[in-house]
Amino acid sequence: MKIAMIGTGYVGLVSGVCFSDFGHDVVCVDKDPAKIEKLERGEVPIFEPGLEDLMARNVAAGRLSFTLDLAEALEGADTVFIAVGTPTRRGDGHADLTYVMAAAEESARTAKKYVVIVTKSTVPVGTNRKVHDVVAKANPDLEFDVASNPEFLREGAAIDDFMRPDRVVVGVQSDRAAKVMADVYRPLFLRDFPIVTTDLESAEMIKYAANAFLATKITFINEIAALCEKTGGDVKEVSRGMGLDGRIGNKFLHAGPGYGGSCFPKDTSALARIGQEYASPMLITEAVIKVNEDIKRRMIEKLRDLCDGNFNGKTVAILGVTFKPNTDDMRDAPSLTIVPALVGSGANVRVVDPQGRQEGEALLPSVTWVEDPYEAAKDADLIVVLTEWNEFRALDLGRISSEMRTAHMADLRNIYASADALSSGFERYDSIGR
Ligand SMILES: NC(=O)c1ccc[n+]([C@@H]2O[C@H](COP(=O)([O-])OP(=O)(O)OC[C@H]3O[C@@H](n4cnc5c(N)ncnc54)[C@H](O)[C@@H]3O)[C@@H](O)[C@H]2O)c1
């Protein structure tokens, strides 16, 4: 198969690299010259474990290349995948489809022969039909089909998720498109990974429903954690006791400072808006969005309490600012709510993150970036575990507490035990739901 991949972000680049590893010929195209220059030099513009090696292997094998020129990418392509961003539209919470529609229209004008135009971006129900109309209008002579192929990979584990997916979802309107999509995913089909082939609307809905459900699960346990703090009980034990129930499962059941990231906030918001638009309110999703915002505010109060009620003049060390470990992605990270609140209330904030600095510097002005947690903790009044990078899981707590001005810790990912922290010299230790 010959595949054109539009967009070389977290999804487009990983998908393009993995498709080439399946043996397909892939040309990735992006509008951002800086990204394409980097990729042509063999550098990966994002942090994603394993991606650089896999990319290099497939470039060397002659199956993978990068270009700014859509026409070059589309030359002879059997499919064109649209993997551009669908951020929240300013003002109304809807998904912004500008980039998807622009990519569809450009593809229509460029394509010369039958092609399947596949939307990999997360898009509201009905979008693929709109893509169909846009393409038909832009190039009435073009023979084409549209297909919906939402992506479920997780940043930080993206290659494994793509290569060994729980399922692949493909929404199609014609047998011809179904056949092309089956050829694209044949290597996974042959290894018995489930391929769910459905209509366009179901495929689009599956993605939003899955993300909203996962956001709900996280938010549910976060709310239980808040209740545990009042009633007594340890949310870690509660999660374990719940998660061992096969009907519930233990994934996405870890209490924390609220979900963030490039998908859950915008996708829950978009689903809520779709519900309102169709007068079929998504009340659970709306509650999840609200509760998640409240949780982030509750975290700030927890930190204030550990600073004896006042951030002014206090030095706070923040461990981790990316929305989760193993990514450099800062989009909608809880740190973007929590850190500015500390800075705004007069705290001196030091930040350490293994990969977040490049993105984070512009987003978190007025903080001091340091290289390691011990440097961050020196003479600090509070240390906060905000993102559970492996680098932060086995710190020498005795060394940290002895170097702090006031040895207080907020463990917002529950990676330490209270008894260990207190016996290592911390005067106060607080975590989530324990
Ligand atoms: N990031 C994730 O973990 C993830 C997971 C599943 C699904 N998704 C969905 O996948 C989509 C892409 O997400 P992402 O995180 O990869 O976005 P991203 O912002 O990292 O990448 C998008 C890329 O598309 C490029 N682009 C935009 N318009 C273009 C055009 N007309 N031609 C060529 N390039 C263009 C941009 O320059 C950018 O490099 C979104 O809809 C998102 O919801 C993301």
Side-chain angles (χ1 to χ4, degrees):
M1 303 293 291
K2 188 159 186 302
I3 295 175
M5 181 66 63
I6 304 183
T8 61
Y10 290 85
V11 164
L13 186 58
V14 170
S15 306
V17 168
C18 291
F19 280 146
S20 67
D21 206 60
F22 288 174
H24 301 314
D25 276 332
V26 181
V27 183
C28 295
V29 57
D30 204 289
K31 277 203 170 332
D32 182 344
K35 276 193 182 172
I36 294 299
E37 273 167 34
K38 270 195 163 181
L39 290 164
E40 283 180 329
R41 285 200 301 270
E43 294 168 25
V44 173
I46 55 171
F47 175 74
E48 181 59 49
L51 189 55
E52 196 160 305
D53 286 349
L54 196 64
M55 188 174 104
R57 215 163 65 210
N58 285 287
V59 169
R63 290 189 293 259
L64 177 63
S65 61
F66 305 97
T67 181
L68 282 167
D69 180 5
L70 183 63
E72 187 186 325
L74 265 170
E75 182 72 46
D78 303 291
T79 59
V80 46
F81 280 77
I82 298 175
V84 300
T86 47
T88 300
R89 195 163 68 193
R90 240 171 229 280
D92 66 5
H94 271 296
D96 183 349
L97 296 176
T98 317
Y99 306 102
V100 170
M101 292 306 169
E105 194 172 340
E106 289 163 35
S107 302
R109 294 194 196 287
T110 316
K112 303 241 168 0
K113 64 164 194 67
Y114 174 79
V115 66
V116 181
I117 299 177
V118 189
T119 304
K120 203 164 227 341
S121 301
T122 303
V123 293
V125 180
T127 303
N128 275 275
R129 285 191 194 275
K130 287 188 192 145
V131 166
H132 187 279
D133 293 347
V134 162
V135 173
K137 191 163 167 228
N139 187 350
D141 298 331
L142 181 68
E143 239 197 310
F144 73 99
D145 275 303
V146 295
S148 167
N149 175 219
E151 182 50 56
F152 298 92
L153 63 77
R154 295 162 301 167
E155 289 173 19
I159 293 175
D160 199 48
D161 284 350
F162 198 95
M163 296 294 206
R164 298 157 29 79
D166 289 339
R167 78 316 205 175
V168 172
V169 172
V170 175
V172 282
Q173 274 179 311
S174 77
D175 292 345
R176 191 174 181 189
K179 163 91 178 54
V180 170
M181 293 304 285
D183 285 345
V184 168
Y185 281 106
R186 182 157 319 281
L188 295 182
F189 175 76
L190 292 174
R191 288 162 60 212
D192 281 337
F193 291 103
I195 313 275
V196 179
T197 304
T198 177
D199 59 277
L200 296 174
E201 285 75 16
S202 303
E204 292 166 332
M205 186 65 92
I206 286 168
K207 176 64 191 176
Y208 276 116
N211 269 4
F213 193 85
L214 292 172
T216 302
K217 202 171 171 192
I218 295 176
T219 307
F220 183 84
I221 201 67
N222 284 340
E223 219 175 27
I224 292 288
L227 191 56
C228 282
E229 289 179 10
K230 297 274 167 60
T231 58
D234 179 338
V235 77
K236 267 189 119 160
E237 299 298 321
V238 176
S239 290
R240 188 168 142 73
M242 284 174 68
L244 286 168
D245 185 326
R247 295 168 301 178
I248 296 174
N250 60 6
K251 304 269 172 63
F252 284 75
L253 213 53
H254 301 289
Y259 64 76
S262 57
C263 292
F264 289 173
K266 76 173 179 62
D267 294 347
T268 47
S269 165
L271 185 62
R273 291 299 309 195
I274 295 168
Q276 287 162 9
E277 200 173 282
Y278 286 85
S280 181
M282 301 303 295
L283 296 180
I284 295 174
T285 303
E286 287 178 12
V288 164
I289 295 167
K290 182 179 177 314
V291 172
N292 192 56
E293 284 309 310
D294 292 347
I295 286 164
K296 286 191 259 178
R297 272 193 288 279
R298 209 161 50 76
M299 294 303 120
I300 296 166
E301 292 320 308
K302 198 183 264 296
L303 304 190
R304 197 191 307 278
D305 178 53
L306 284 163
C307 283
D308 301 323
N310 191 354
F311 289 123
N312 201 15
K314 301 282 167 52
T315 298
V316 181
I318 301 281
L319 308 190
V321 288
T322 53
F323 85 92
K324 65 173 179 180
N326 288 323
T327 181
D328 57 352
D329 199 339
M330 291 285 300
R331 286 177 282 185
D332 268 312
S335 64
L336 298 180
T337 305
I338 294 170
V339 172
L342 305 187
V343 172
S345 301
N348 306 308
V349 178
R350 289 193 203 127
V351 170
V352 54
D353 190 287
Q355 293 292 337
R357 183 166 181 171
Q358 198 180 341
E359 279 289 303
E361 269 181 333
L363 298 168
L364 297 172
S366 316
V367 304
T368 306
W369 291 82
V370 296
E371 291 306 316
D372 80 86
Y374 300 97
E375 193 186 346
K378 198 159 174 33
D379 297 324
D381 299 289
L382 173 65
I383 188 163
V384 183
V385 179
L386 196 46
T387 310
E388 70 280 32
W389 284 90
N390 271 343
E391 286 87 333
F392 305 147
R393 283 180 182 274
L395 296 173
D396 179 343
L397 294 184
R399 181 177 159 202
I400 295 223
S401 69
S402 68
E403 296 201 354
M404 291 178 72
R405 184 163 62 188
T406 323
H408 291 180
M409 180 191 260
D411 176 6
L412 304 187
R413 299 290 182 173
N414 289 351
I415 60 177
Y416 290 105
S418 174
D420 292 344
L422 297 177
S423 68
S424 302
F426 276 92
E427 287 164 41
R428 289 183 69 189
Y429 167 88
D430 198 2
S431 57
I432 308 282
R434 300 193 286 177

